[in-house]
Amino acid sequence: MTVSLLAGLIGVGLAAAGVSAALVRLLFPLMQRYALARPNARSSHRVPTPQGGGIAVLAAVLTVGGAGTWILAPAALLPLAVVAVAAVALAVVGAMDDIRPLPVLPRLAIQIGAVAFGLIAAGDIRLFPAILPAPVEFVLVVLAGVWFVNLVNFMDGLDWITVAEVVPVTAALAVFTLMGALPIDAGIVAVGLCGAMIGFAPFNRPVARLFLGDVGSLPIGLILGFMLYRLAGGGHLAAALLLPLYYLADATLTLLLRLKRGEKVWQAHRSHFYQRATDNGFTVMDVVGTVFALNLGLAALATAALLVDGPLVAAGLVVAGIGAVAVVLARFSRPRPALAGGRG
């Protein structure tokens, strides 16, 4: 079963990569004409650049992932359809926001509804049954899901950085499926998203010719969050925290620091650690290479958390991950050493 499942997952990943790349090429003239991202206070680019590559990524995930689920795990088609509806709803909101910014409150209300609806597909998952009543936990999970969706969007502000995040995380989730820690349908979606991002990657390579746009980053956040939630619900909370730890730390610490400074957190900015790194003399490839390597290390720690027994060991692995992320954030916060020496 494992060999046939491995072959099936590889097939899904390759198909998703091909579909994603083909759709980007097909839609690129339309995106170039109607969906230009013009530089603003948040931008790392300097010239108007087409956005909307997330349309191709999402379409590849849903079509290839749906076909793979129909073949390998047909009983999971209905839950996948629920997640697909929620993801498409966020994509529509993102597409509208890409063309003309939407007011914060209506956008947030739709995100809350999409996340809550998507949780229906997760089934009866309880993370803290001994501590929290089910309704309270559900509300907290929805709020956490909305934050995760938005932080993936916030972090998509540099060429290749979302590729450097999503590819290692989804590849690890696919491996966890082979290890039995995730259901087959989750592994299919994970490897489909991994392949779709790989198909998109050549067009987003620095200097990018195409961006994901909110139409891509918002549903990608929902899909990633959904899979991580299922991983945590299967008894692997430490692994579910470790995989996205860099994104969680960068976005959350940045938000808290901006709140402390009294800034309007809903306005565009360049305060994320990865953005400060480019201002501190790191090249785009320095940043995304560091993030990619860090995510590989976090994936290794998450894998170890699946293989070992005992909450103390799992907690130790999470602490190790926090330490690794802290080192990278501290490095991004200071001028690049070569430049600092030159200034002395």
Side-chain angles (χ1 to χ4, degrees):
M1 176 64 179
T2 302
V3 174
S4 61
L5 177 58
L6 175 61
L9 292 180
I10 291 174
V12 168
L14 292 174
V19 171
S20 178
L23 285 175
V24 168
R25 291 188 179 277
L26 180 65
L27 297 174
F28 189 82
L30 291 174
M31 293 183 284
Q32 194 171 32
R33 183 173 180 179
Y34 296 109
L36 283 180
R38 303 190 183 279
N40 58 35
R42 174 179 176 241
S43 305
S44 298
H45 65 292
R46 296 291 177 263
V47 297
T49 304
Q51 59 186 343
I55 297 173
V57 172
L58 182 60
V61 174
L62 296 184
T63 56
V64 177
T69 303
W70 179 64
I71 295 171
L72 298 173
L77 278 174
L78 182 57
L80 177 61
V82 173
V83 176
V85 170
V88 170
L90 289 184
V92 171
V93 172
M96 295 170 63
D97 206 37
D98 285 335
I99 297 171
R100 179 176 296 177
L102 299 173
V104 174
L105 290 181
R107 185 175 59 197
L108 187 61
I110 295 172
Q111 290 174 356
I112 292 172
V115 170
F117 184 71
L119 285 177
I120 296 172
D124 187 21
I125 290 178
R126 292 298 310 277
L127 299 181
F128 307 106
I131 302 174
L132 297 172
V136 174
E137 182 174 308
F138 181 81
V139 171
L140 292 177
V141 170
V142 169
L143 293 177
V146 171
W147 172 234
F148 192 81
V149 165
N150 280 282
L151 74 84
V152 171
N153 179 37
F154 296 155
M155 294 294 290
D156 184 40
L158 194 68
D159 302 343
W160 254 7
I161 193 165
T162 302
V163 175
E165 176 71 15
V166 171
V167 169
V169 171
T170 51
L173 290 170
V175 172
F176 294 171
T177 301
L178 295 172
M179 295 170 61
L182 270 176
I184 293 175
D185 59 295
I188 293 168
V189 174
V191 79
L193 180 54
C194 183
M197 288 299 293
I198 290 172
F200 164 76
F203 305 93
N204 190 239
R205 182 181 185 275
V207 175
R209 293 180 290 148
L210 179 67
F211 300 145
L212 278 172
D214 289 2
V215 68
S217 59
L218 293 175
I220 285 173
L222 176 74
I223 293 169
L224 272 182
F226 175 74
M227 290 185 292
L228 291 169
Y229 180 56
R230 294 185 74 182
L231 180 64
H236 307 294
L237 180 60
L241 289 173
L242 280 163
L243 286 179
L245 190 55
Y246 169 70
Y247 261 33
L248 288 171
D250 192 323
T252 303
L253 287 174
T254 298
L255 175 69
L256 294 176
L257 290 171
R258 295 190 72 211
L259 286 170
K260 182 180 178 181
R261 293 192 293 264
E263 298 178 12
K264 297 178 180 179
V265 295
W266 57 89
Q267 292 183 346
H269 65 95
R270 283 185 52 80
S271 303
H272 286 288
F273 288 86
Y274 73 89
Q275 292 170 321
R276 290 157 59 185
T278 58
D279 294 337
N280 283 330
F282 291 85
T283 68
V284 172
M285 291 304 296
D286 287 335
V287 175
V288 298
T290 300
V291 170
F292 185 79
L294 173 62
N295 282 323
L296 291 179
L298 292 173
L301 291 174
T303 303
L306 294 183
L307 296 175
V308 300
D309 293 323
L312 290 179
V313 177
L317 292 169
V318 173
V319 170
I322 292 172
V325 171
V327 168
V328 169
L329 295 181
R331 184 184 179 208
F332 285 172
S333 300
R334 296 190 293 265
R336 190 178 179 189
L339 293 180
R343 289 170 183 165

